[in-house]
Amino acid sequence: MKHITRVTLFLTGCLLIFGILSCNNTSKNTDTSSTATTGKDSLQNYVDQRIAIYETVKLTTNLNGLTTNERKILPLLIQAAQIMDNLFWKQAYPQRDSLLSTIKNEKTKSFVMINYGPWDRLNGDKPFVAGIGPKPAGASFYPLNMTKEALEKSAVTDKYGLYSVIKGDSSGRLISVPYNALFASELQEASNLLKQAALFAEDPGFKKYLTLRADALVTDNYTASDYAWLDMKTNTLDIIIGPIENYEDKLFNARASFEAYVLVKDKAWSKRLEKYVSMLPQLQQGLPVEAKYKKERPGTDSELNAYDVVYYAGDCNAGSKTIAVNLPNDEVIQQKKGTRRSQLKNAMKAKFDKILMPIAKELIDKDQLQYLNFDAFFANVMFHEVAHGLGIKKTITGKGFVKEALQEQYSWLEEGKADVLGLYMVTGLLKKGELDGDIKQFYTTYMAGILRSVRFGAASAHGKANMQCFNFFKENGAFIRNENGTYKVDFTKFEQAMNKLSRLIITLQGNGDKAAVEKTQKEKAVITTELQQDLDKLTKKGIPVDIIFEQGVDVLGVH
C-alpha cells in the first residue's frame, strides 16, 4: 500500500488517516474513569477534564558553573533536540498540521500537542477528536492495513529493523526504507548542529561523542557513538539523541522512535552514586531465581549519574515523562560494557513534590506517611534503572534475546522487572549496610510510587508494569486496604512478594514464552474497579497525573 502524506479531516464525519477510511470508530479501552462519545460537546468536556491532569514545570538548573563554551553549546543541543521532536511527530502522527488547522478550541490544540496526536496517551490512547478512530498499533512505522503475518512472510530483509520503516511500493510489495533516507534533510541538519557543538566542546570525551553521534544520525550506525557515550567520564553537559526506544511500535516493539534529552550533570550527587554499579555481579548472584536464569554477568564499566534535564523532545516527552534513563538498549553493548544510568533529578523532584506526596496524603495510611521522603523515592527510581542490567538478556530456551522472543510483550514486562528488582537491590544494599535509611521508608515510598504510576494507564509500558505489581502484591498480602480507602504496607509480606514477583518475571523472560507473558498481562496488568475508584478520588482532588514542561533557551537564559 502506498504511503499517504496528505489527509483531509472532517471533524463531524470521517477521518482518512494513515491511508484508511475510519468512520465513527471508538477506542477499545478498559479505562472506566471517562468515556468519550462521538458528540462534539462531550469530547470537549473530556478534553477540559483531561488537560487538567498535567502540572506545568519550568525546566531550569544552575548554570553558574558552566564555562563560556558550554553556554554556547547548550543552544545548539536544544536546536538538535527540537529536530528530534519534529521527527517523532512524523512517526507518531504525521498529519499534525492538517489536524490542528481544523481544530478551533485552544485547549484541544494544546492537548493534541501534549499527546503528539489525537489520542490520550495516559488513558489507553482514547481518541479525543471527533471522527478519529483507534490509534494504529504500528503508528506510521508500517502500512496501516498490514498484518503481522504479511510482514513475517514477506521478503523484507530487516523485518524488525530498529532504524527503518515498512512501506508498500507501487506494486503492493512490502519494502524497507531506512531512517537516514526517509528523514535525510532533518537528520543532516541535526548532525551539523552536533558537529558545531563539538567544535566548542572542551571535554575530549564529550567532543568525541558529539562527533560520532553526528555521524550516526546520517548513517543509522549508532554503535560507535554508544561506546563513546559510555566512555565519557568528566563531561558536564550531555545529550541523549536519536531513535532510541521502541514503545511507540506496539505492533512488534521493534522500531525506534526519535527523542532527545539535554542534560547538565550534578557532579556532587553523581559522586555519591559511584559505588553501586560495581555491586551488580554480587546482586545478580543473589537473585531469588533458579541458577540457570542468572548465569549472565552484568557489565560494570558504566556510570550512575545525576543530572538536571533542561530539555525533553520527542518520545520521552510524550505521555508519562521519563525521570531516569538506562541506555544504550543494545544487549550486546550492555553485556560487554554496561549502561549509563542517568537520574533526572529536577524532574524527579517535581514529580515527588507535585504528585507523589499529594497522592500519599490521600491514599497511604496516615500512620505510615512519616516514612515518605525524597531520598527513598530517588533511590527507588535510581535502582529501577540499575536493575535493567540484572536478570537475563538471552532466553535459556534457544529463542535468542528476550526482546526478540517477547516482541510487543517485552517492554511492559521489562519495566516490571526493573521495578521489582530495583526494590530487591534496595533491600539487599540496606542489609549490607551499603545504603542509608529505614526499609519502611523505601517500601512505603514504593507503594506510593505504584499508585502514582498506575495512573499512566494501559497504553503505557510503565502503567502496565505497575498494574501487575499492584495486583500481585495485593494477592500476596503485601498491603491491605483500610476501610477508609487508604493503603497500609505489611513490611514482611512486602519483601516476600517482591521475591516471588522477581522470580516470576525473570522466569517468564528466560523462557521467552510470549504466550505466557501475554496471558499474564491480560490477567494481572489491569486496573480493578476498586482501585479505579480510589484513583478517581485523586482526580476529584485535582492531583495531577503527570507534568509538562516550560523549557528552552528563553527559560534557561542562554541564546
Coordinates of all heavy atoms in Angstrom, one line a residue, residues 411-495:
S411 N 8.4 -4.8 26.5 CA 8.6 -3.6 27.2 C 8.0 -3.5 28.5 O 8.6 -3.1 29.5 CB 8.2 -2.4 26.3 OG 9.0 -2.2 25.2
W412 N 6.7 -3.9 28.6 CA 6.0 -3.7 29.9 C 6.6 -4.7 30.9 O 6.7 -4.3 32.1 CB 4.5 -3.9 29.7 CG 4.0 -5.4 29.6 CD1 3.9 -6.1 28.5 CD2 3.7 -6.2 30.7 NE1 3.5 -7.4 28.8 CE2 3.3 -7.5 30.2 CE3 3.6 -6.0 32.1 CZ2 2.9 -8.5 31.0 CZ3 3.2 -7.1 32.9 CH2 2.8 -8.3 32.3
L413 N 6.9 -5.9 30.5 CA 7.5 -6.9 31.4 C 8.9 -6.5 31.9 O 9.2 -6.7 33.1 CB 7.5 -8.3 30.8 CG 7.8 -9.4 31.8 CD1 6.6 -9.6 32.8 CD2 8.0 -10.7 31.0
E414 N 9.6 -5.9 31.0 CA 11.0 -5.4 31.3 C 10.9 -4.3 32.4 O 11.7 -4.2 33.3 CB 11.7 -5.0 30.1 CG 13.1 -4.3 30.4 CD 14.1 -5.2 31.0 OE1 14.0 -6.5 31.0 OE2 15.1 -4.7 31.6
E415 N 9.9 -3.4 32.2 CA 9.7 -2.3 33.2 C 9.3 -2.9 34.5 O 9.7 -2.4 35.6 CB 8.7 -1.3 32.6 CG 9.2 -0.5 31.4 CD 10.5 0.2 31.6 OE1 10.8 0.6 32.8 OE2 11.2 0.4 30.6
G416 N 8.5 -3.9 34.5 CA 8.1 -4.6 35.7 C 9.2 -5.2 36.4 O 9.4 -5.2 37.6
K417 N 10.1 -5.8 35.6 CA 11.3 -6.4 36.2 C 12.2 -5.4 36.9 O 12.7 -5.6 38.0 CB 12.1 -7.1 35.1 CG 13.4 -7.8 35.6 CD 14.5 -7.9 34.5 CE 15.3 -6.7 34.3 NZ 16.4 -6.8 33.4
A418 N 12.4 -4.3 36.2 CA 13.2 -3.2 36.7 C 12.6 -2.7 38.0 O 13.3 -2.4 39.0 CB 13.4 -2.1 35.7
D419 N 11.3 -2.5 38.0 CA 10.6 -2.0 39.3 C 10.9 -2.9 40.4 O 11.4 -2.5 41.5 CB 9.1 -2.0 39.1 CG 8.7 -0.7 38.3 OD1 9.4 0.3 38.3 OD2 7.5 -0.8 37.8
V420 N 10.7 -4.2 40.3 CA 10.8 -5.1 41.4 C 12.2 -5.5 41.8 O 12.6 -5.6 43.0 CB 9.9 -6.4 41.2 CG1 10.5 -7.3 40.1 CG2 9.6 -7.1 42.5
L421 N 13.1 -5.6 40.8 CA 14.5 -5.8 41.1 C 15.2 -4.6 41.6 O 16.1 -4.7 42.4 CB 15.2 -6.4 39.8 CG 14.9 -7.8 39.3 CD1 15.9 -8.2 38.3 CD2 14.8 -8.8 40.5
G422 N 14.7 -3.4 41.3 CA 15.2 -2.2 41.9 C 14.9 -2.2 43.4 O 15.8 -1.9 44.2
L423 N 13.7 -2.7 43.8 CA 13.4 -2.8 45.2 C 14.2 -3.9 45.8 O 14.6 -3.8 47.0 CB 11.9 -3.1 45.3 CG 11.3 -3.0 46.7 CD1 11.4 -1.5 47.2 CD2 9.9 -3.5 46.7
Y424 N 14.4 -5.0 45.1 CA 15.3 -6.1 45.6 C 16.7 -5.6 45.9 O 17.3 -5.9 46.9 CB 15.4 -7.2 44.6 CG 16.6 -8.1 44.6 CD1 16.7 -9.1 45.5 CD2 17.6 -7.9 43.7 CE1 17.8 -9.9 45.6 CE2 18.8 -8.7 43.8 CZ 18.9 -9.7 44.7 OH 20.0 -10.5 44.8
M425 N 17.2 -4.7 45.0 CA 18.6 -4.1 45.2 C 18.6 -3.2 46.5 O 19.5 -3.3 47.3 CB 19.0 -3.3 44.0 CG 19.3 -4.1 42.8 SD 19.9 -3.1 41.4 CE 21.6 -2.7 42.1
V426 N 17.6 -2.4 46.6 CA 17.5 -1.5 47.8 C 17.5 -2.4 49.1 O 18.2 -2.1 50.0 CB 16.2 -0.7 47.7 CG1 15.9 -0.1 49.1 CG2 16.3 0.4 46.7
T427 N 16.7 -3.4 49.1 CA 16.6 -4.3 50.2 C 18.0 -4.9 50.6 O 18.4 -5.0 51.7 CB 15.6 -5.4 50.0 OG1 14.3 -4.8 49.7 CG2 15.4 -6.3 51.2
G428 N 18.6 -5.5 49.5 CA 19.9 -6.1 49.7 C 21.0 -5.1 50.2 O 21.8 -5.5 51.1
L429 N 21.0 -3.9 49.6 CA 22.0 -2.9 50.0 C 21.8 -2.4 51.4 O 22.8 -2.1 52.1 CB 22.0 -1.8 49.0 CG 22.5 -2.2 47.6 CD1 22.2 -1.0 46.6 CD2 24.0 -2.5 47.6
L430 N 20.6 -2.3 51.8 CA 20.3 -1.9 53.2 C 20.8 -3.0 54.2 O 21.4 -2.6 55.2 CB 18.8 -1.7 53.4 CG 18.2 -0.4 52.9 CD1 16.7 -0.4 52.9 CD2 18.7 0.8 53.7
K431 N 20.6 -4.2 53.8 CA 21.0 -5.3 54.7 C 22.5 -5.4 54.8 O 23.1 -5.8 55.8 CB 20.5 -6.7 54.2 CG 19.0 -6.8 54.4 CD 18.5 -8.1 53.9 CE 17.0 -8.3 54.1 NZ 16.4 -9.6 53.6
K432 N 23.2 -5.0 53.7 CA 24.7 -5.0 53.7 C 25.3 -3.7 54.3 O 26.5 -3.6 54.5 CB 25.2 -5.1 52.3 CG 24.8 -6.4 51.6 CD 25.3 -6.4 50.1 CE 24.9 -7.7 49.4 NZ 25.5 -8.9 49.9
G433 N 24.4 -2.8 54.7 CA 24.9 -1.5 55.2 C 25.5 -0.6 54.2 O 26.2 0.4 54.5
E434 N 25.2 -0.8 52.9 CA 25.7 0.0 51.8 C 24.8 1.1 51.4 O 25.1 2.0 50.6 CB 25.9 -0.9 50.5 CG 27.0 -2.0 50.7 CD 28.4 -1.4 50.8 OE1 28.6 -0.2 50.6 OE2 29.3 -2.2 51.1
L435 N 23.6 1.2 52.0 CA 22.6 2.2 51.8 C 22.0 2.7 53.1 O 21.8 1.9 54.0 CB 21.5 1.6 50.9 CG 20.5 2.6 50.3 CD1 21.1 3.6 49.3 CD2 19.4 1.8 49.6
D436 N 21.9 4.0 53.2 CA 21.4 4.5 54.5 C 19.8 4.6 54.4 O 19.2 4.8 53.3 CB 21.9 6.0 54.7 CG 23.4 5.9 54.9 OD1 23.9 4.9 55.5 OD2 24.1 6.9 54.5
G437 N 19.2 4.5 55.6 CA 17.8 4.6 55.6 C 17.1 3.5 56.3 O 17.7 2.4 56.6
D438 N 15.8 3.6 56.4 CA 14.9 2.5 57.0 C 14.2 1.9 55.9 O 13.6 2.5 55.0 CB 14.0 3.2 58.0 CG 13.1 2.3 58.8 OD1 12.9 1.1 58.3 OD2 12.6 2.7 59.8
I439 N 14.1 0.5 55.9 CA 13.4 -0.2 54.9 C 12.0 0.2 54.8 O 11.4 0.2 53.7 CB 13.5 -1.7 55.2 CG1 13.0 -2.5 53.9 CG2 12.7 -2.1 56.4 CD1 13.9 -2.4 52.7
K440 N 11.4 0.7 55.9 CA 10.0 1.2 55.9 C 9.8 2.4 55.0 O 8.8 2.6 54.3 CB 9.5 1.5 57.3 CG 9.4 0.3 58.2 CD 9.0 0.6 59.6 CE 8.9 -0.6 60.5 NZ 8.5 -0.2 61.9
Q441 N 10.9 3.2 54.9 CA 10.8 4.4 54.1 C 10.8 4.0 52.6 O 10.0 4.5 51.8 CB 12.0 5.3 54.3 CG 12.1 5.9 55.7 CD 13.4 6.6 56.0 OE1 14.4 6.3 55.4 NE2 13.4 7.6 56.9
F442 N 11.6 3.0 52.2 CA 11.7 2.6 50.8 C 10.4 1.9 50.4 O 9.9 2.1 49.3 CB 12.9 1.8 50.6 CG 14.2 2.5 50.8 CD1 14.8 2.5 52.1 CD2 14.8 3.3 49.8 CE1 16.0 3.2 52.3 CE2 15.9 4.0 50.0 CZ 16.6 4.0 51.2
Y443 N 9.9 1.0 51.3 CA 8.7 0.2 50.9 C 7.5 1.1 50.8 O 6.7 1.0 49.9 CB 8.5 -0.9 51.9 CG 9.4 -2.1 51.7 CD1 10.5 -2.1 50.8 CD2 9.3 -3.2 52.5 CE1 11.3 -3.2 50.6 CE2 10.2 -4.3 52.4 CZ 11.2 -4.3 51.5 OH 12.0 -5.4 51.3
T444 N 7.3 2.0 51.8 CA 6.1 2.9 51.8 C 6.2 3.8 50.6 O 5.2 4.1 49.9 CB 6.0 3.7 53.1 OG1 6.1 2.8 54.2 CG2 4.7 4.4 53.2
T445 N 7.4 4.4 50.3 CA 7.5 5.3 49.2 C 7.3 4.5 47.9 O 6.7 5.0 46.9 CB 8.9 5.9 49.2 OG1 9.1 6.6 50.4 CG2 9.1 6.9 48.0
Y446 N 7.7 3.2 47.8 CA 7.5 2.4 46.7 C 6.0 2.2 46.5 O 5.5 2.2 45.3 CB 8.2 1.1 46.9 CG 8.2 0.1 45.7 CD1 9.2 0.1 44.7 CD2 7.2 -0.8 45.5 CE1 9.2 -0.7 43.7 CE2 7.1 -1.7 44.5 CZ 8.2 -1.7 43.5 OH 8.2 -2.5 42.5
M447 N 5.3 1.9 47.5 CA 3.8 1.7 47.5 C 3.2 3.0 46.9 O 2.3 2.9 46.0 CB 3.3 1.4 48.8 CG 1.8 1.1 48.9 SD 1.4 -0.4 48.0 CE -0.2 -0.1 47.3
A448 N 3.6 4.1 47.4 CA 3.0 5.4 46.8 C 3.4 5.6 45.4 O 2.6 6.1 44.6 CB 3.5 6.6 47.7
G449 N 4.6 5.1 45.0 CA 5.0 5.2 43.6 C 4.2 4.3 42.7 O 3.9 4.7 41.6
I450 N 3.7 3.1 43.2 CA 2.9 2.3 42.4 C 1.6 3.0 42.1 O 1.1 3.0 41.0 CB 2.6 0.9 43.1 CG1 3.8 0.1 43.2 CG2 1.5 0.2 42.4 CD1 3.6 -1.2 44.1
L451 N 1.0 3.6 43.1 CA -0.3 4.3 43.0 C -0.1 5.6 42.1 O -1.1 6.0 41.4 CB -0.8 4.8 44.4 CG -1.2 3.6 45.3 CD1 -1.4 4.2 46.7 CD2 -2.4 2.9 44.8
R452 N 1.1 6.1 42.0 CA 1.3 7.2 41.0 C 1.4 6.7 39.6 O 0.8 7.2 38.7 CB 2.7 7.9 41.4 CG 3.1 9.0 40.4 CD 4.4 9.6 40.8 NE 5.5 8.6 40.5 CZ 6.1 8.6 39.3 NH1 5.8 9.4 38.3 NH2 7.1 7.7 39.1
S453 N 2.1 5.6 39.4 CA 2.4 5.1 38.1 C 1.2 4.3 37.4 O 1.1 4.3 36.2 CB 3.6 4.2 38.1 OG 4.8 5.0 38.4
V454 N 0.3 3.7 38.2 CA -0.8 3.0 37.6 C -1.7 4.0 36.9 O -2.4 3.7 35.9 CB -1.6 2.2 38.6 CG1 -0.8 1.0 39.1 CG2 -2.2 3.0 39.7
R455 N -1.6 5.3 37.2 CA -2.4 6.3 36.6 C -2.0 6.6 35.2 O -2.7 7.3 34.4 CB -2.4 7.6 37.4 CG -3.0 7.5 38.8 CD -2.8 8.8 39.6 NE -3.8 9.7 39.3 CZ -3.7 11.0 39.6 NH1 -2.6 11.5 40.0 NH2 -4.7 11.8 39.3
F456 N -0.8 6.1 34.8 CA -0.4 6.3 33.4 C -1.2 5.5 32.4 O -1.2 5.7 31.2 CB 1.1 5.9 33.2 CG 2.0 6.8 34.0 CD1 3.3 6.3 34.4 CD2 1.7 8.1 34.3 CE1 4.1 7.1 35.2 CE2 2.6 8.9 35.1 CZ 3.8 8.4 35.5
G457 N -1.9 4.5 32.9 CA -2.9 3.8 32.0 C -2.3 2.6 31.3 O -1.1 2.4 31.2
A458 N -3.2 1.9 30.6 CA -2.9 0.6 29.9 C -2.1 0.8 28.7 O -1.5 -0.1 28.1 CB -4.1 -0.2 29.6
A459 N -2.0 2.0 28.1 CA -1.3 2.3 26.9 C 0.2 2.4 27.2 O 1.1 2.4 26.3 CB -1.8 3.5 26.2
S460 N 0.6 2.6 28.5 CA 2.0 2.8 28.9 C 2.6 1.5 29.4 O 2.0 0.8 30.2 CB 2.0 3.9 30.0 OG 3.2 3.8 30.7
A461 N 3.8 1.2 29.0 CA 4.5 0.1 29.5 C 4.7 0.2 31.0 O 4.6 -0.8 31.7 CB 5.9 -0.1 28.8
H462 N 5.0 1.4 31.5 CA 5.2 1.6 32.9 C 3.9 1.4 33.6 O 3.8 0.9 34.8 CB 5.8 3.0 33.2 CG 7.2 3.2 32.6 ND1 7.4 3.5 31.3 CD2 8.4 3.0 33.2 CE1 8.7 3.6 31.1 NE2 9.3 3.3 32.2
G463 N 2.8 1.9 33.0 CA 1.5 1.7 33.6 C 1.1 0.2 33.8 O 0.7 -0.2 34.9
K464 N 1.3 -0.6 32.7 CA 1.1 -2.0 32.8 C 1.9 -2.7 33.9 O 1.4 -3.5 34.6 CB 1.4 -2.7 31.5 CG 0.4 -2.4 30.3 CD 0.7 -3.3 29.2 CE -0.2 -3.0 28.0 NZ 0.3 -1.9 27.2
A465 N 3.2 -2.3 33.9 CA 4.1 -2.9 34.9 C 3.6 -2.7 36.3 O 3.6 -3.6 37.2 CB 5.5 -2.3 34.7
N466 N 3.2 -1.4 36.6 CA 2.7 -1.1 38.0 C 1.4 -1.8 38.3 O 1.1 -2.1 39.4 CB 2.7 0.4 38.1 CG 4.1 0.9 38.4 OD1 4.5 1.0 39.6 ND2 4.8 1.3 37.4
M467 N 0.5 -1.9 37.3 CA -0.8 -2.6 37.5 C -0.5 -4.1 37.9 O -1.1 -4.6 38.8 CB -1.6 -2.6 36.2 CG -2.2 -1.3 35.8 SD -2.9 -1.4 34.2 CE -3.0 0.3 33.7
Q468 N 0.5 -4.7 37.2 CA 0.8 -6.1 37.5 C 1.4 -6.2 39.0 O 1.0 -7.0 39.8 CB 1.9 -6.7 36.6 CG 2.3 -8.1 36.9 CD 3.6 -8.5 36.3 OE1 4.5 -7.7 36.2 NE2 3.8 -9.8 36.1
C469 N 2.2 -5.2 39.3 CA 2.9 -5.2 40.6 C 1.8 -5.0 41.7 O 1.8 -5.7 42.7 CB 3.9 -4.1 40.7 SG 4.9 -4.2 42.3
F470 N 0.9 -4.1 41.5 CA -0.2 -3.8 42.5 C -1.0 -5.0 42.7 O -1.2 -5.4 43.9 CB -1.1 -2.6 41.9 CG -2.2 -2.3 42.9 CD1 -2.1 -1.4 43.9 CD2 -3.4 -3.0 42.7 CE1 -3.1 -1.1 44.7 CE2 -4.5 -2.7 43.6 CZ -4.4 -1.7 44.6
N471 N -1.5 -5.7 41.6 CA -2.3 -6.9 41.8 C -1.6 -8.0 42.4 O -2.1 -8.8 43.2 CB -2.9 -7.2 40.4 CG -3.9 -6.2 39.9 OD1 -4.7 -5.7 40.7 ND2 -3.9 -5.9 38.6
F472 N -0.3 -8.2 42.0 CA 0.5 -9.3 42.6 C 0.7 -9.1 44.1 O 0.5 -10.0 44.9 CB 1.8 -9.5 41.8 CG 2.6 -10.7 42.2 CD1 2.4 -11.8 41.4 CD2 3.4 -10.7 43.3 CE1 3.1 -13.0 41.7 CE2 4.1 -11.9 43.6 CZ 4.0 -13.0 42.8
F473 N 1.1 -7.9 44.4 CA 1.4 -7.6 45.8 C 0.1 -7.7 46.7 O 0.1 -8.2 47.8 CB 2.0 -6.2 46.0 CG 3.5 -6.1 45.8 CD1 4.1 -7.0 44.8 CD2 4.3 -5.3 46.5 CE1 5.5 -6.9 44.7 CE2 5.6 -5.3 46.4 CZ 6.2 -6.1 45.4
K474 N -1.0 -7.3 46.1 CA -2.3 -7.4 46.8 C -2.6 -8.8 47.1 O -3.0 -9.2 48.2 CB -3.4 -6.7 46.0 CG -4.8 -6.7 46.7 CD -5.8 -6.1 45.9 CE -7.2 -6.1 46.6 NZ -8.3 -5.5 45.7
E475 N -2.5 -9.7 46.1 CA -2.8 -11.1 46.2 C -1.9 -11.8 47.3 O -2.3 -12.8 47.9 CB -2.7 -11.8 44.9 CG -3.8 -11.4 43.9 CD -3.5 -12.0 42.5 OE1 -2.5 -12.7 42.3 OE2 -4.2 -11.6 41.5
N476 N -0.7 -11.3 47.4 CA 0.2 -11.9 48.4 C 0.3 -11.1 49.7 O 1.2 -11.3 50.5 CB 1.6 -11.9 47.7 CG 1.7 -13.0 46.7 OD1 2.1 -14.1 47.0 ND2 1.4 -12.6 45.4
G477 N -0.7 -10.3 50.0 CA -0.9 -9.7 51.3 C 0.2 -8.6 51.6 O 0.4 -8.3 52.8
A478 N 0.9 -8.1 50.6 CA 1.9 -7.1 50.8 C 1.4 -5.8 51.4 O 2.1 -5.0 52.0 CB 2.7 -6.9 49.6
F479 N 0.1 -5.6 51.2 CA -0.5 -4.4 51.7 C -2.0 -4.7 51.9 O -2.5 -5.7 51.4 CB -0.4 -3.1 50.8 CG -0.9 -3.3 49.5 CD1 -2.3 -3.1 49.2 CD2 -0.1 -3.7 48.4 CE1 -2.8 -3.3 47.9 CE2 -0.7 -3.8 47.1 CZ -2.0 -3.6 46.9
I480 N -2.6 -3.9 52.8 CA -4.1 -4.0 53.0 C -4.7 -2.7 52.6 O -4.1 -1.7 52.7 CB -4.5 -4.5 54.4 CG1 -4.0 -3.4 55.4 CG2 -3.9 -5.9 54.7 CD1 -4.5 -3.6 56.8
R481 N -6.0 -2.8 52.3 CA -6.7 -1.5 52.0 C -7.6 -1.3 53.2 O -8.5 -2.1 53.5 CB -7.6 -1.7 50.7 CG -8.3 -0.4 50.3 CD -9.1 -0.7 49.0 NE -9.8 0.5 48.6 CZ -11.0 0.9 49.0 NH1 -11.7 0.1 49.9 NH2 -11.6 2.0 48.6
N482 N -7.4 -0.2 53.9 CA -8.3 0.1 55.0 C -9.7 0.5 54.6 O -9.9 0.8 53.4 CB -7.6 1.3 55.8 CG -6.3 1.0 56.4 OD1 -6.0 -0.1 56.8 ND2 -5.4 2.0 56.3
E483 N -10.6 0.5 55.6 CA -12.0 0.8 55.3 C -12.1 2.2 54.7 O -13.1 2.5 53.9 CB -12.8 0.7 56.5 CG -13.0 -0.8 57.0 CD -14.0 -0.9 58.1 OE1 -14.5 0.1 58.6 OE2 -14.2 -2.0 58.6
N484 N -11.2 3.1 55.1 CA -11.3 4.5 54.6 C -10.7 4.7 53.2 O -10.5 5.8 52.7 CB -10.7 5.5 55.6 CG -9.2 5.3 55.8 OD1 -8.6 4.4 55.2 ND2 -8.6 6.1 56.6
G485 N -10.2 3.6 52.6 CA -9.7 3.6 51.2 C -8.2 4.0 51.2 O -7.7 4.3 50.1
T486 N -7.5 3.9 52.3 CA -6.1 4.1 52.3 C -5.4 2.7 52.4 O -5.9 1.7 52.8 CB -5.6 5.0 53.5 OG1 -6.0 4.3 54.7 CG2 -6.2 6.4 53.4
Y487 N -4.1 2.7 52.0 CA -3.3 1.5 51.9 C -2.2 1.5 52.9 O -1.5 2.4 53.1 CB -2.7 1.4 50.5 CG -3.7 1.2 49.4 CD1 -4.4 2.3 48.8 CD2 -4.1 0.0 48.9 CE1 -5.3 2.2 47.8 CE2 -5.1 -0.2 48.0 CZ -5.7 0.9 47.4 OH -6.7 0.8 46.4
K488 N -2.1 0.3 53.6 CA -1.1 0.1 54.6 C -0.2 -1.1 54.2 O -0.7 -2.2 54.0 CB -1.8 -0.2 55.9 CG -0.9 -0.3 57.1 CD -1.7 -0.4 58.4 CE -0.7 -0.4 59.6 NZ -1.5 -0.5 60.9
V489 N 1.1 -0.8 54.3 CA 2.1 -1.8 53.9 C 2.4 -2.8 55.0 O 2.5 -2.4 56.2 CB 3.4 -1.1 53.5 CG1 4.5 -2.1 53.2 CG2 3.2 -0.2 52.3
D490 N 2.4 -4.1 54.7 CA 2.9 -5.1 55.6 C 4.3 -5.4 55.2 O 4.6 -6.0 54.1 CB 2.0 -6.4 55.4 CG 2.5 -7.5 56.4 OD1 3.7 -7.7 56.5 OD2 1.6 -8.1 57.0
F491 N 5.3 -4.9 56.0 CA 6.6 -4.8 55.5 C 7.3 -6.2 55.3 O 8.1 -6.4 54.4 CB 7.5 -4.0 56.5 CG 7.0 -2.5 56.6 CD1 6.3 -2.1 57.7 CD2 7.2 -1.7 55.6 CE1 5.9 -0.8 57.8 CE2 6.7 -0.4 55.6 CZ 6.1 0.1 56.7
T492 N 6.9 -7.2 56.1 CA 7.4 -8.5 56.0 C 6.9 -9.2 54.7 O 7.6 -9.7 53.9 CB 7.0 -9.4 57.2 OG1 7.5 -8.8 58.4 CG2 7.5 -10.8 57.0
K493 N 5.6 -9.1 54.5 CA 5.0 -9.7 53.3 C 5.4 -8.9 52.0 O 5.4 -9.5 50.9 CB 3.5 -9.8 53.4 CG 3.0 -10.8 54.5 CD 1.5 -10.8 54.6 CE 1.1 -11.9 55.6 NZ -0.4 -11.9 55.7
F494 N 5.7 -7.6 52.2 CA 6.1 -6.8 51.0 C 7.4 -7.4 50.4 O 7.6 -7.6 49.2 CB 6.3 -5.4 51.5 CG 6.1 -4.4 50.4 CD1 4.8 -4.0 50.1 CD2 7.1 -3.8 49.7 CE1 4.5 -3.0 49.2 CE2 6.8 -2.8 48.7 CZ 5.5 -2.4 48.5
E495 N 8.4 -7.8 51.3 CA 9.6 -8.4 50.9 C 9.4 -9.7 50.2 O 10.0 -10.1 49.2 CB 10.6 -8.5 52.0 CG 11.9 -9.1 51.6 CD 13.0 -9.1 52.7 OE1 12.7 -8.5 53.8 OE2 14.1 -9.6 52.5

